[in-house]
Amino acid sequence: MRILFGVLLLAVAAAALPEEREIAEAKEKIQRMLDEAALLEQAGRREEAARVRADAEAMRKRLEGARGPKEGGDPRVQALHDMEKAIAALDRAGCEDMANEMRGMADRLRVEIKGARGQENPEIEFWRRNLDTLRSARDALLEAQRKGDADALGRAIHARELLLEGKPDRAGQAMKASPGDLDIADLLLASAGFWRSFGKPEKAAQCEELGRLLQHRTEKRRAEKVMEFARGERREGPGPDDRLARLEERVERMERMLHDALERLEARERQRERDRPEAGR
């Protein structure tokens, strides 16, 4: 993806300066408005001062919205924002073919982002429904003085809390240090027995139901993998490596197109320099 960022950098650079200048001018205007509001306040004209401050705040919010996605958001949204700026720069530079190709990439990314927002990951939805049962199971283990098992289940809970908070990278790391689904199922079934001995049949039933469900789900996934391996079938569509290779190929082609366009622009500029003395005669 290094080539892609290089192309984006070259293209966006052509559009960056005017945008940054406009942002700087807007910031200066906001500061002037705040200074004016302070002077009005000192003069006792509080209503006017409040109106000017409100206008400055509204302008500040519009400016933040125009600057694109905030840090810490979906990196795909930021990539789409950069691609849109690159497309505009390429259009102005006359690189129509390259702009159209990047426009197609941006459209596909936009559809992917929209789909991700409209449909939640089934794994996230599963644990959103069942995380309280894991917490209940941990309580039973603690009450039964099974601290080691309770700590293990606590690590599993923490990993899934990170998943629900929208932190997949940290959740993945935490998953590696926590028990797997089959081990969690065993802990849930043990907790169900403890809850029954404590006279809490409803909590026992919840833990047992989730434990059996995790067992069934794990066995089903294993069976599917065995069947898939036995048939020697691959999932439909290209794998991640194939898609990445095709993306790299398209970006390299765009890089060559940009290089050719820059050479043409330089040649045109040299020709203009040669033509100027003749025009002056």
Side-chain angles (χ1 to χ4, degrees):
M1 301 302 290
R2 185 178 65 256
I3 299 173
L4 173 61
F5 290 127
V7 173
L8 286 172
L9 182 61
L10 286 170
V12 173
L17 291 178
E19 180 177 287
E20 291 301 321
R21 186 168 57 247
E22 291 171 1
I23 290 172
E25 291 173 354
K27 285 183 175 181
E28 290 178 1
K29 185 173 181 180
I30 291 171
Q31 188 57 53
R32 287 197 301 270
M33 293 171 72
L34 292 174
D35 292 341
E36 180 185 353
L39 291 173
L40 290 169
E41 187 79 32
Q42 292 176 3
R45 299 160 64 180
R46 295 181 179 178
E47 291 185 2
E48 293 181 48
R51 278 199 303 272
V52 173
R53 283 200 185 93
D55 290 343
E57 178 64 17
M59 182 177 291
R60 185 187 63 79
K61 289 181 178 179
R62 287 196 301 271
L63 180 61
E64 287 182 353
R67 296 189 72 176
K70 295 181 179 179
E71 293 182 4
D74 191 334
R76 293 173 300 180
V77 176
Q78 182 60 56
L80 180 61
H81 179 67
D82 291 339
M83 290 174 76
E84 288 171 345
K85 291 198 295 182
I87 290 166
L90 290 168
D91 283 335
R92 286 196 293 272
C95 304
E96 183 178 349
D97 292 340
M98 192 173 177
N100 287 336
E101 179 137 8
M102 187 171 285
R103 193 172 283 112
M105 294 168 65
D107 288 341
R108 288 190 290 274
L109 182 58
R110 194 175 290 108
V111 169
E112 180 181 332
I113 293 170
K114 184 177 179 181
R117 287 175 172 173
Q119 184 175 6
E120 187 169 52
N121 186 318
E123 189 72 6
I124 294 176
E125 181 57 31
F126 177 85
W127 288 113
R128 193 186 302 282
R129 294 194 308 269
N130 295 298
L131 198 57
D132 282 342
T133 302
L134 286 191
R135 296 188 181 106
S136 172
R138 181 184 55 185
D139 291 342
L141 292 169
L142 287 171
E143 193 168 339
Q145 298 184 351
R146 297 277 291 272
K147 188 176 185 306
D149 289 340
D151 288 345
L153 196 53
R155 291 195 298 273
I157 292 170
H158 176 63
R160 283 149 183 83
E161 286 173 340
L162 291 172
L163 190 66
L164 297 186
E165 290 170 6
K167 302 172 181 176
D169 293 339
R170 291 179 58 190
Q173 292 295 324
M175 291 281 187
K176 295 176 183 178
S178 69
D181 282 0
L182 204 55
D183 292 327
I184 293 173
D186 291 340
L187 293 172
L188 281 162
L189 295 176
S191 299
F194 290 130
W195 276 133
R196 284 195 185 92
S197 67
F198 299 150
K200 300 291 179 68
E202 292 182 1
K203 291 184 177 182
Q206 288 177 344
C207 290
E208 184 171 6
E209 182 182 359
L210 182 56
R212 298 297 181 198
L213 179 59
L214 285 176
Q215 284 181 334
H216 175 72
R217 193 174 75 153
T218 303
E219 291 169 0
K220 181 180 178 182
R221 286 177 176 176
R222 285 180 177 176
E224 288 173 350
K225 287 181 179 179
V226 170
M227 290 296 294
E228 184 177 343
F229 179 78
R231 291 193 303 265
E233 294 180 353
R234 296 179 60 186
R235 295 181 179 179
E236 294 183 3
D241 291 341
D242 297 327
R243 291 195 295 270
L244 181 60
R246 285 207 298 270
L247 178 59
E248 289 282 3
E249 183 181 345
R250 288 199 302 270
V251 172
E252 286 176 2
R253 186 166 67 251
M254 292 167 64
E255 187 181 44
R256 290 194 297 271
M257 292 168 60
L258 178 60
H259 180 72
D260 292 342
L262 290 174
E263 284 188 345
R264 289 196 300 271
L265 289 172
E266 290 175 358
R268 192 181 307 167
E269 187 63 27
R270 288 195 298 269
Q271 185 62 44
R272 287 176 180 170
E273 291 294 332
R274 288 194 296 268
D275 292 344
R276 281 175 186 167
E278 296 179 3
R281 292 191 194 122

